[in-house]
């Protein structure tokens, strides 16, 4: 089960996660499993209503940029720190969510770095992919295609 943030589980098309590198847009902290958004070609923490989502932050390109003593956390510097991000448009991610969810339900991204999850839908960033058998099961979602930054180029 995903404890904090989102964890890549699989791609609908099969295969492995596609990881690209991007610079941080702002001087901010990101945590492995955070959803990120692309703005001016750089990443920042995704929030509800963002319309160019990329996928999950997977860590720094340079391991020396990781925050010492805090695995998975990176205090990035604007336009300087390079980060690795999963960018598959059909990636399915697991997250902690205590609510019953049915496939096709649309949800919003909510939470701060290291504590992102899903919430009732207003802006519809993600869609539930699998039915949860129990409320303690992780919720499996994918970015709604129209909200993925790669689809904007098609």
């Amino acid at each position: 089960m995903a404890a904090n943030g989102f964890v890549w589980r699989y791609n609908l098309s099969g295969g492995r996660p596609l990881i690209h590198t991007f610079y941080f847009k702002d001087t901010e902290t990101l945590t492995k499993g955070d959803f990120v958004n692309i703005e001016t070609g750089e990443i920042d923490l995704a929030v509800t209503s963002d319309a160019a989502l990329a996928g999950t932050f997977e860590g720094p390109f340079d391991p020396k940029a990781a925050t010492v003593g805090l695995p998975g956390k990176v205090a990035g510097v604007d336009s300087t720190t390079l980060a690795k991000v999963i960018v598959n448009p059909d990636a399915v991610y697991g997250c902690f969510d205590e609510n019953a969810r049915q496939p096709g339900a649309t949800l919003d991204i909510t939470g701060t770095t290291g504590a992102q999850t899903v919430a009732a839908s207003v802006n519809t960033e993600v869609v539930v992919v699998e039915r949860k058998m129990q409320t303690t099961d992780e919720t499996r979602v994918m970015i709604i295609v129209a909200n993925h930054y790669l689809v904007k180029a098609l």
Side-chain angles (χ1 to χ4, degrees):
M1 177 186 293
N4 295 314
F6 295 85
V7 177
W8 178 85
R9 293 301 182 207
Y10 60 89
N11 298 323
L12 292 178
S13 61
R16 299 179 306 184
L18 175 61
I19 298 177
H20 285 194
T21 57
F22 299 91
Y23 284 108
F24 275 59
K25 180 184 180 296
D26 301 309
T27 297
E28 68 178 331
T29 298
L30 292 176
T31 306
K32 182 177 172 139
D34 286 344
F35 264 131
V36 294
N37 187 59
I38 304 292
E39 290 184 23
T40 62
E42 299 177 325
I43 61 166
D44 68 345
L45 184 68
V47 297
T48 189
S49 79
D50 277 344
L53 300 171
T56 53
F57 172 75
E58 293 299 307
F61 180 75
D62 179 356
K64 291 183 252 173
T67 305
V68 175
L70 297 171
K73 284 200 178 288
V74 177
V77 178
D78 179 17
S79 301
T80 303
T81 306
L82 264 176
K84 298 184 294 185
V85 178
I86 294 176
V87 298
N88 304 70
D90 68 338
V92 175
Y93 302 94
C95 70
F96 178 73
D97 170 37
E98 292 181 345
N99 296 293
R101 304 289 185 193
Q102 295 296 321
T106 57
L107 300 169
D108 287 354
I109 297 167
T110 187
T112 59
T113 184
Q116 282 188 325
T117 189
V118 291
S121 186
V122 174
N123 297 303
T124 63
E125 287 91 30
V126 298
V127 61
V128 176
V129 177
E130 300 175 18
R131 184 173 81 84
K132 291 173 67 166
M133 300 304 281
Q134 299 179 23
T135 56
T136 55
D137 292 342
E138 72 180 6
T139 298
R140 293 204 173 164
V141 299
M142 66 181 283
I143 297 170
I144 291 177
V145 174
N147 292 333
H148 198 282
Y149 89 102
L150 288 175
V151 177
K152 306 288 185 198
L154 298 178

PDB file of all heavy atoms in Angstrom, residues 48-81:
ATOM      1  N   THR A  48      -4.614  20.892  -7.112  1.00  0.00           N
ATOM      2  CA  THR A  48      -5.860  20.766  -7.845  1.00  0.00           C
ATOM      3  C   THR A  48      -6.014  21.961  -8.785  1.00  0.00           C
ATOM      4  O   THR A  48      -5.605  23.072  -8.468  1.00  0.00           O
ATOM      5  CB  THR A  48      -7.057  20.622  -6.891  1.00  0.00           C
ATOM      6  OG1 THR A  48      -8.216  20.283  -7.671  1.00  0.00           O
ATOM      7  CG2 THR A  48      -7.323  21.869  -6.092  1.00  0.00           C
ATOM      8  N   SER A  49      -6.530  21.713  -9.944  1.00  0.00           N
ATOM      9  CA  SER A  49      -6.745  22.665 -11.046  1.00  0.00           C
ATOM     10  C   SER A  49      -5.537  22.805 -11.964  1.00  0.00           C
ATOM     11  O   SER A  49      -5.626  23.485 -12.978  1.00  0.00           O
ATOM     12  CB  SER A  49      -7.213  24.048 -10.566  1.00  0.00           C
ATOM     13  OG  SER A  49      -6.130  24.818 -10.077  1.00  0.00           O
ATOM     14  N   ASP A  50      -4.393  22.165 -11.652  1.00  0.00           N
ATOM     15  CA  ASP A  50      -3.279  22.167 -12.600  1.00  0.00           C
ATOM     16  C   ASP A  50      -3.711  21.401 -13.848  1.00  0.00           C
ATOM     17  O   ASP A  50      -4.424  20.396 -13.760  1.00  0.00           O
ATOM     18  CB  ASP A  50      -2.031  21.510 -12.004  1.00  0.00           C
ATOM     19  CG  ASP A  50      -1.227  22.455 -11.130  1.00  0.00           C
ATOM     20  OD1 ASP A  50      -1.439  23.684 -11.217  1.00  0.00           O
ATOM     21  OD2 ASP A  50      -0.377  21.968 -10.366  1.00  0.00           O
ATOM     22  N   ALA A  51      -3.263  21.855 -14.995  1.00  0.00           N
ATOM     23  CA  ALA A  51      -3.725  21.265 -16.252  1.00  0.00           C
ATOM     24  C   ALA A  51      -2.610  20.679 -17.102  1.00  0.00           C
ATOM     25  O   ALA A  51      -2.830  20.337 -18.255  1.00  0.00           O
ATOM     26  CB  ALA A  51      -4.490  22.318 -17.048  1.00  0.00           C
ATOM     27  N   ALA A  52      -1.397  20.558 -16.566  1.00  0.00           N
ATOM     28  CA  ALA A  52      -0.286  19.970 -17.318  1.00  0.00           C
ATOM     29  C   ALA A  52       0.479  19.010 -16.420  1.00  0.00           C
ATOM     30  O   ALA A  52       1.686  19.133 -16.215  1.00  0.00           O
ATOM     31  CB  ALA A  52       0.622  21.068 -17.865  1.00  0.00           C
ATOM     32  N   LEU A  53      -0.245  18.036 -15.868  1.00  0.00           N
ATOM     33  CA  LEU A  53       0.357  17.072 -14.959  1.00  0.00           C
ATOM     34  C   LEU A  53       1.317  16.159 -15.714  1.00  0.00           C
ATOM     35  O   LEU A  53       1.079  15.817 -16.873  1.00  0.00           O
ATOM     36  CB  LEU A  53      -0.728  16.243 -14.277  1.00  0.00           C
ATOM     37  CG  LEU A  53      -1.736  17.056 -13.454  1.00  0.00           C
ATOM     38  CD1 LEU A  53      -2.883  16.163 -13.005  1.00  0.00           C
ATOM     39  CD2 LEU A  53      -1.059  17.697 -12.271  1.00  0.00           C
ATOM     40  N   ALA A  54       2.404  15.770 -15.053  1.00  0.00           N
ATOM     41  CA  ALA A  54       3.392  14.904 -15.691  1.00  0.00           C
ATOM     42  C   ALA A  54       3.329  13.488 -15.133  1.00  0.00           C
ATOM     43  O   ALA A  54       3.332  12.515 -15.868  1.00  0.00           O
ATOM     44  CB  ALA A  54       4.799  15.467 -15.500  1.00  0.00           C
ATOM     45  N   GLY A  55       3.311  13.350 -13.820  1.00  0.00           N
ATOM     46  CA  GLY A  55       3.382  12.060 -13.149  1.00  0.00           C
ATOM     47  C   GLY A  55       4.022  12.249 -11.798  1.00  0.00           C
ATOM     48  O   GLY A  55       3.929  13.335 -11.209  1.00  0.00           O
ATOM     49  N   THR A  56       4.720  11.223 -11.323  1.00  0.00           N
ATOM     50  CA  THR A  56       5.281  11.301  -9.971  1.00  0.00           C
ATOM     51  C   THR A  56       6.759  11.652  -9.971  1.00  0.00           C
ATOM     52  O   THR A  56       7.533  11.195 -10.802  1.00  0.00           O
ATOM     53  CB  THR A  56       5.107   9.973  -9.211  1.00  0.00           C
ATOM     54  OG1 THR A  56       5.636   8.911  -9.991  1.00  0.00           O
ATOM     55  CG2 THR A  56       3.661   9.729  -8.870  1.00  0.00           C
ATOM     56  N   PHE A  57       7.114  12.454  -8.982  1.00  0.00           N
ATOM     57  CA  PHE A  57       8.505  12.791  -8.703  1.00  0.00           C
ATOM     58  C   PHE A  57       9.163  11.539  -8.144  1.00  0.00           C
ATOM     59  O   PHE A  57       8.660  10.930  -7.208  1.00  0.00           O
ATOM     60  CB  PHE A  57       8.542  13.935  -7.687  1.00  0.00           C
ATOM     61  CG  PHE A  57       9.910  14.264  -7.170  1.00  0.00           C
ATOM     62  CD1 PHE A  57      10.821  14.948  -7.949  1.00  0.00           C
ATOM     63  CD2 PHE A  57      10.281  13.895  -5.887  1.00  0.00           C
ATOM     64  CE1 PHE A  57      12.085  15.256  -7.465  1.00  0.00           C
ATOM     65  CE2 PHE A  57      11.531  14.204  -5.392  1.00  0.00           C
ATOM     66  CZ  PHE A  57      12.440  14.883  -6.184  1.00  0.00           C
ATOM     67  N   GLU A  58      10.318  11.162  -8.707  1.00  0.00           N
ATOM     68  CA  GLU A  58      11.001   9.940  -8.287  1.00  0.00           C
ATOM     69  C   GLU A  58      12.330  10.202  -7.596  1.00  0.00           C
ATOM     70  O   GLU A  58      12.982   9.272  -7.163  1.00  0.00           O
ATOM     71  CB  GLU A  58      11.193   9.017  -9.482  1.00  0.00           C
ATOM     72  CG  GLU A  58       9.876   8.481 -10.029  1.00  0.00           C
ATOM     73  CD  GLU A  58       9.106   7.671  -9.005  1.00  0.00           C
ATOM     74  OE1 GLU A  58       9.675   6.739  -8.421  1.00  0.00           O
ATOM     75  OE2 GLU A  58       7.919   7.990  -8.784  1.00  0.00           O
ATOM     76  N   GLY A  59      12.734  11.458  -7.521  1.00  0.00           N
ATOM     77  CA  GLY A  59      13.975  11.781  -6.836  1.00  0.00           C
ATOM     78  C   GLY A  59      14.867  12.663  -7.679  1.00  0.00           C
ATOM     79  O   GLY A  59      14.553  12.999  -8.815  1.00  0.00           O
ATOM     80  N   PRO A  60      16.022  13.023  -7.138  1.00  0.00           N
ATOM     81  CA  PRO A  60      16.930  13.897  -7.876  1.00  0.00           C
ATOM     82  C   PRO A  60      17.702  13.126  -8.944  1.00  0.00           C
ATOM     83  O   PRO A  60      17.974  11.934  -8.781  1.00  0.00           O
ATOM     84  CB  PRO A  60      17.871  14.412  -6.792  1.00  0.00           C
ATOM     85  CG  PRO A  60      17.937  13.289  -5.811  1.00  0.00           C
ATOM     86  CD  PRO A  60      16.538  12.688  -5.809  1.00  0.00           C
ATOM     87  N   PHE A  61      18.061  13.801 -10.010  1.00  0.00           N
ATOM     88  CA  PHE A  61      18.921  13.197 -11.023  1.00  0.00           C
ATOM     89  C   PHE A  61      20.295  12.913 -10.424  1.00  0.00           C
ATOM     90  O   PHE A  61      20.889  11.875 -10.668  1.00  0.00           O
ATOM     91  CB  PHE A  61      19.032  14.136 -12.230  1.00  0.00           C
ATOM     92  CG  PHE A  61      19.905  13.604 -13.318  1.00  0.00           C
ATOM     93  CD1 PHE A  61      19.465  12.582 -14.147  1.00  0.00           C
ATOM     94  CD2 PHE A  61      21.173  14.121 -13.516  1.00  0.00           C
ATOM     95  CE1 PHE A  61      20.280  12.079 -15.150  1.00  0.00           C
ATOM     96  CE2 PHE A  61      21.991  13.627 -14.518  1.00  0.00           C
ATOM     97  CZ  PHE A  61      21.543  12.607 -15.341  1.00  0.00           C
ATOM     98  N   ASP A  62      20.779  13.844  -9.618  1.00  0.00           N
ATOM     99  CA  ASP A  62      22.059  13.699  -8.926  1.00  0.00           C
ATOM    100  C   ASP A  62      21.772  13.275  -7.486  1.00  0.00           C
ATOM    101  O   ASP A  62      21.197  14.046  -6.715  1.00  0.00           O
ATOM    102  CB  ASP A  62      22.815  15.025  -8.933  1.00  0.00           C
ATOM    103  CG  ASP A  62      24.152  14.947  -8.207  1.00  0.00           C
ATOM    104  OD1 ASP A  62      24.481  13.886  -7.630  1.00  0.00           O
ATOM    105  OD2 ASP A  62      24.861  15.970  -8.220  1.00  0.00           O
ATOM    106  N   PRO A  63      22.145  12.053  -7.082  1.00  0.00           N
ATOM    107  CA  PRO A  63      21.858  11.588  -5.723  1.00  0.00           C
ATOM    108  C   PRO A  63      22.373  12.521  -4.627  1.00  0.00           C
ATOM    109  O   PRO A  63      21.825  12.553  -3.531  1.00  0.00           O
ATOM    110  CB  PRO A  63      22.551  10.231  -5.651  1.00  0.00           C
ATOM    111  CG  PRO A  63      22.686   9.791  -7.061  1.00  0.00           C
ATOM    112  CD  PRO A  63      22.837  11.043  -7.883  1.00  0.00           C
ATOM    113  N   LYS A  64      23.397  13.315  -4.923  1.00  0.00           N
ATOM    114  CA  LYS A  64      23.926  14.248  -3.918  1.00  0.00           C
ATOM    115  C   LYS A  64      22.943  15.374  -3.601  1.00  0.00           C
ATOM    116  O   LYS A  64      23.091  16.057  -2.600  1.00  0.00           O
ATOM    117  CB  LYS A  64      25.253  14.840  -4.387  1.00  0.00           C
ATOM    118  CG  LYS A  64      26.381  13.818  -4.417  1.00  0.00           C
ATOM    119  CD  LYS A  64      27.682  14.475  -4.811  1.00  0.00           C
ATOM    120  CE  LYS A  64      28.023  14.024  -6.198  1.00  0.00           C
ATOM    121  NZ  LYS A  64      29.141  14.651  -6.810  1.00  0.00           N
ATOM    122  N   ALA A  65      21.918  15.546  -4.451  1.00  0.00           N
ATOM    123  CA  ALA A  65      20.931  16.602  -4.217  1.00  0.00           C
ATOM    124  C   ALA A  65      19.851  16.177  -3.220  1.00  0.00           C
ATOM    125  O   ALA A  65      19.045  16.994  -2.796  1.00  0.00           O
ATOM    126  CB  ALA A  65      20.282  17.024  -5.529  1.00  0.00           C
ATOM    127  N   ALA A  66      19.843  14.899  -2.829  1.00  0.00           N
ATOM    128  CA  ALA A  66      18.845  14.422  -1.858  1.00  0.00           C
ATOM    129  C   ALA A  66      19.104  15.044  -0.493  1.00  0.00           C
ATOM    130  O   ALA A  66      20.241  15.367  -0.138  1.00  0.00           O
ATOM    131  CB  ALA A  66      18.904  12.904  -1.756  1.00  0.00           C
ATOM    132  N   THR A  67      18.050  15.216   0.284  1.00  0.00           N
ATOM    133  CA  THR A  67      18.164  15.774   1.619  1.00  0.00           C
ATOM    134  C   THR A  67      18.732  14.716   2.561  1.00  0.00           C
ATOM    135  O   THR A  67      18.134  13.645   2.735  1.00  0.00           O
ATOM    136  CB  THR A  67      16.790  16.255   2.132  1.00  0.00           C
ATOM    137  OG1 THR A  67      16.264  17.178   1.172  1.00  0.00           O
ATOM    138  CG2 THR A  67      16.895  16.920   3.481  1.00  0.00           C
ATOM    139  N   VAL A  68      19.873  14.993   3.163  1.00  0.00           N
ATOM    140  CA  VAL A  68      20.543  14.042   4.048  1.00  0.00           C
ATOM    141  C   VAL A  68      19.632  13.714   5.232  1.00  0.00           C
ATOM    142  O   VAL A  68      19.065  14.603   5.869  1.00  0.00           O
ATOM    143  CB  VAL A  68      21.892  14.602   4.540  1.00  0.00           C
ATOM    144  CG1 VAL A  68      22.538  13.673   5.548  1.00  0.00           C
ATOM    145  CG2 VAL A  68      22.820  14.844   3.364  1.00  0.00           C
ATOM    146  N   GLY A  69      19.469  12.419   5.504  1.00  0.00           N
ATOM    147  CA  GLY A  69      18.675  11.980   6.646  1.00  0.00           C
ATOM    148  C   GLY A  69      17.182  11.911   6.384  1.00  0.00           C
ATOM    149  O   GLY A  69      16.422  11.476   7.233  1.00  0.00           O
ATOM    150  N   LEU A  70      16.740  12.362   5.211  1.00  0.00           N
ATOM    151  CA  LEU A  70      15.318  12.326   4.870  1.00  0.00           C
ATOM    152  C   LEU A  70      15.153  11.654   3.508  1.00  0.00           C
ATOM    153  O   LEU A  70      15.016  12.329   2.488  1.00  0.00           O
ATOM    154  CB  LEU A  70      14.725  13.735   4.845  1.00  0.00           C
ATOM    155  CG  LEU A  70      14.738  14.484   6.170  1.00  0.00           C
ATOM    156  CD1 LEU A  70      14.342  15.932   5.976  1.00  0.00           C
ATOM    157  CD2 LEU A  70      13.815  13.806   7.168  1.00  0.00           C
ATOM    158  N   PRO A  71      15.168  10.332   3.463  1.00  0.00           N
ATOM    159  CA  PRO A  71      15.078   9.625   2.185  1.00  0.00           C
ATOM    160  C   PRO A  71      13.849  10.051   1.385  1.00  0.00           C
ATOM    161  O   PRO A  71      12.758  10.175   1.930  1.00  0.00           O
ATOM    162  CB  PRO A  71      14.972   8.154   2.599  1.00  0.00           C
ATOM    163  CG  PRO A  71      15.489   8.097   3.985  1.00  0.00           C
ATOM    164  CD  PRO A  71      15.210   9.440   4.601  1.00  0.00           C
ATOM    165  N   GLY A  72      14.067  10.298   0.098  1.00  0.00           N
ATOM    166  CA  GLY A  72      12.964  10.667  -0.777  1.00  0.00           C
ATOM    167  C   GLY A  72      12.671  12.147  -0.848  1.00  0.00           C
ATOM    168  O   GLY A  72      11.903  12.580  -1.692  1.00  0.00           O
ATOM    169  N   LYS A  73      13.264  12.942   0.038  1.00  0.00           N
ATOM    170  CA  LYS A  73      13.018  14.392   0.028  1.00  0.00           C
ATOM    171  C   LYS A  73      14.150  15.107  -0.678  1.00  0.00           C
ATOM    172  O   LYS A  73      15.314  14.779  -0.502  1.00  0.00           O
ATOM    173  CB  LYS A  73      12.896  14.944   1.439  1.00  0.00           C
ATOM    174  CG  LYS A  73      11.585  14.626   2.097  1.00  0.00           C
ATOM    175  CD  LYS A  73      11.339  15.594   3.243  1.00  0.00           C
ATOM    176  CE  LYS A  73      10.017  15.337   3.901  1.00  0.00           C
ATOM    177  NZ  LYS A  73       8.882  15.734   3.110  1.00  0.00           N
ATOM    178  N   VAL A  74      13.773  16.110  -1.481  1.00  0.00           N
ATOM    179  CA  VAL A  74      14.759  16.916  -2.194  1.00  0.00           C
ATOM    180  C   VAL A  74      14.372  18.380  -2.052  1.00  0.00           C
ATOM    181  O   VAL A  74      13.259  18.773  -2.407  1.00  0.00           O
ATOM    182  CB  VAL A  74      14.828  16.545  -3.688  1.00  0.00           C
ATOM    183  CG1 VAL A  74      15.806  17.448  -4.424  1.00  0.00           C
ATOM    184  CG2 VAL A  74      15.208  15.083  -3.851  1.00  0.00           C
ATOM    185  N   ALA A  75      15.287  19.167  -1.501  1.00  0.00           N
ATOM    186  CA  ALA A  75      15.106  20.614  -1.436  1.00  0.00           C
ATOM    187  C   ALA A  75      15.698  21.174  -2.722  1.00  0.00           C
ATOM    188  O   ALA A  75      16.898  21.413  -2.825  1.00  0.00           O
ATOM    189  CB  ALA A  75      15.794  21.189  -0.206  1.00  0.00           C
ATOM    190  N   GLY A  76      14.848  21.346  -3.729  1.00  0.00           N
ATOM    191  CA  GLY A  76      15.299  21.760  -5.047  1.00  0.00           C
ATOM    192  C   GLY A  76      15.488  23.256  -5.160  1.00  0.00           C
ATOM    193  O   GLY A  76      14.837  24.036  -4.471  1.00  0.00           O
ATOM    194  N   VAL A  77      16.387  23.641  -6.061  1.00  0.00           N
ATOM    195  CA  VAL A  77      16.676  25.047  -6.327  1.00  0.00           C
ATOM    196  C   VAL A  77      16.141  25.390  -7.709  1.00  0.00           C
ATOM    197  O   VAL A  77      16.375  24.661  -8.680  1.00  0.00           O
ATOM    198  CB  VAL A  77      18.195  25.317  -6.242  1.00  0.00           C
ATOM    199  CG1 VAL A  77      18.509  26.770  -6.568  1.00  0.00           C
ATOM    200  CG2 VAL A  77      18.710  24.950  -4.854  1.00  0.00           C
ATOM    201  N   ASP A  78      15.437  26.507  -7.797  1.00  0.00           N
ATOM    202  CA  ASP A  78      14.828  26.996  -9.031  1.00  0.00           C
ATOM    203  C   ASP A  78      15.803  26.939 -10.207  1.00  0.00           C
ATOM    204  O   ASP A  78      16.901  27.495 -10.146  1.00  0.00           O
ATOM    205  CB  ASP A  78      14.355  28.435  -8.802  1.00  0.00           C
ATOM    206  CG  ASP A  78      13.733  29.073 -10.023  1.00  0.00           C
ATOM    207  OD1 ASP A  78      13.365  28.353 -10.966  1.00  0.00           O
ATOM    208  OD2 ASP A  78      13.612  30.310 -10.037  1.00  0.00           O
ATOM    209  N   SER A  79      15.384  26.237 -11.268  1.00  0.00           N
ATOM    210  CA  SER A  79      16.126  26.147 -12.532  1.00  0.00           C
ATOM    211  C   SER A  79      17.545  25.608 -12.393  1.00  0.00           C
ATOM    212  O   SER A  79      18.385  25.802 -13.274  1.00  0.00           O
ATOM    213  CB  SER A  79      16.161  27.505 -13.233  1.00  0.00           C
ATOM    214  OG  SER A  79      14.853  27.956 -13.492  1.00  0.00           O
ATOM    215  N   THR A  80      17.836  24.907 -11.280  1.00  0.00           N
ATOM    216  CA  THR A  80      19.178  24.369 -11.029  1.00  0.00           C
ATOM    217  C   THR A  80      19.143  22.875 -10.738  1.00  0.00           C
ATOM    218  O   THR A  80      19.960  22.128 -11.262  1.00  0.00           O
ATOM    219  CB  THR A  80      19.827  25.111  -9.837  1.00  0.00           C
ATOM    220  OG1 THR A  80      19.857  26.507 -10.136  1.00  0.00           O
ATOM    221  CG2 THR A  80      21.227  24.620  -9.572  1.00  0.00           C
ATOM    222  N   THR A  81      18.207  22.439  -9.879  1.00  0.00           N
ATOM    223  CA  THR A  81      18.130  21.033  -9.480  1.00  0.00           C
ATOM    224  C   THR A  81      17.366  20.235 -10.526  1.00  0.00           C
ATOM    225  O   THR A  81      16.224  20.567 -10.860  1.00  0.00           O
ATOM    226  CB  THR A  81      17.440  20.892  -8.113  1.00  0.00           C
ATOM    227  OG1 THR A  81      18.105  21.724  -7.160  1.00  0.00           O
ATOM    228  CG2 THR A  81      17.456  19.448  -7.640  1.00  0.00           C
TER     229      THR A  81
END
